[in-house]
Amino acid sequence: MVLSKILVGRLVGPACVAAAGLFVPGLAAAQPPPPPPPPPPDINALTPVSPQEYAVYDGSAYVFGSSGLTCMLQRSGGYGCNGVIPGGPDGANLVGGSSGGVPVFGVSPAPMYSGPVNALPPNTRLSFGTVSCGGDGTMTACVDSRNLSGFVVSPAGSYILNEVNPLLARPEGTNPYTN
C-alpha cells in the first residue's frame, strides 16, 4: 500500500505538473517571428522612359499613373504615390518619402496631383537623382539607390523597404558601403 502511494505520487504528480504547463501562457512555446518581406523588386532593371512627357510644375516634378495610383517624383528629392493602397496601415492612401530618408504611409484628404496624368507603361521606370519608380502593371514600387529604402504597393500587400535607414542604424561590424 505504501509502495503504491509512492509510485502514484511519483508518476501522477509530475504528469499533472507537465499537463498544467500546457495551460500556462508563460510556458507556451514562443511564436516564430513573422516572415521577412519579399526582396525588393529590381526597379532599375526595368526599361527607363524619358521624364519629359511626365513633367509638371514647369519641370520641377514628374507625375505618372501606375496600377491605379498617382505617383510623383520631385526634382527636390520627394517621391510618393497616392490612391488605393492594399494592406496600407490605418487606411493609408498615401506613401512617400524624400531621397536619403525612409518613406512612410499616411492619409491625405486630397490627391497629391489633380491634373492630367500619363500612365507609365508596364515594365518601365521613371528616375530622377537616386530615386526610381516603376512597375509591372500590377505592382508599383519606388526605390532610393542611396539607402535602398523605398516602398512597394501591390494587390498582395504594401510595405516599406528597409524601414531602418542602413546609413544611420546598422548592426555592429557592418559597412553600408559594401555588399
Side-chain angles (χ1 to χ4, degrees), residues 2 25 38 41 43 50 57 59 75-76 83 92 101 113 120 131 135 139 141 146 157 168 173:
V2 172
I43 295 299
S50 171
Y57 302 130
R75 294 176 63 94
S76 62
Y113 182 76
L120 189 67
V131 178
M139 172 275 307
R146 178 183 298 176
L168 300 176

Side-chain angles (χ1 to χ4, degrees), residues 66-135:
S66 179
S67 305
L69 299 170
T70 298
C71 302
M72 180 182 288
L73 278 171
Q74 297 175 328
R75 294 176 63 94
S76 62
Y79 64 97
C81 296
N82 82 297
V84 176
I85 298 181
D90 301 320
N93 65 353
L94 173 75
V95 60
S98 185
S99 179
V102 177
V104 296
F105 288 103
V107 177
S108 174
M112 63 171 41
Y113 182 76
S114 59
V117 176
N118 292 332
L120 189 67
N123 301 311
T124 61
R125 69 177 161 94
L126 187 62
S127 300
F128 185 81
T130 60
V131 178
S132 294
C133 297

Side-chain angles (χ1 to χ4, degrees), residues 2-33:
V2 172
L3 182 60
S4 67
K5 285 186 178 182
I6 292 172
L7 287 176
V8 170
R10 289 192 180 199
L11 295 176
V12 174
C16 290
V17 170
L22 297 175
F23 301 107
V24 177
L27 297 177
Q31 293 295 321

Side-chain angles (χ1 to χ4, degrees), residues 151-179:
F151 60 83
V152 174
V153 177
S154 77
S158 305
Y159 54 95
I160 302 295
L161 300 168
N162 288 326
E163 290 187 75
V164 176
N165 186 334
L167 296 176
L168 300 176
R170 60 185 178 273
E172 186 68 30
T174 62
N175 184 338
Y177 300 106
T178 61
N179 289 330

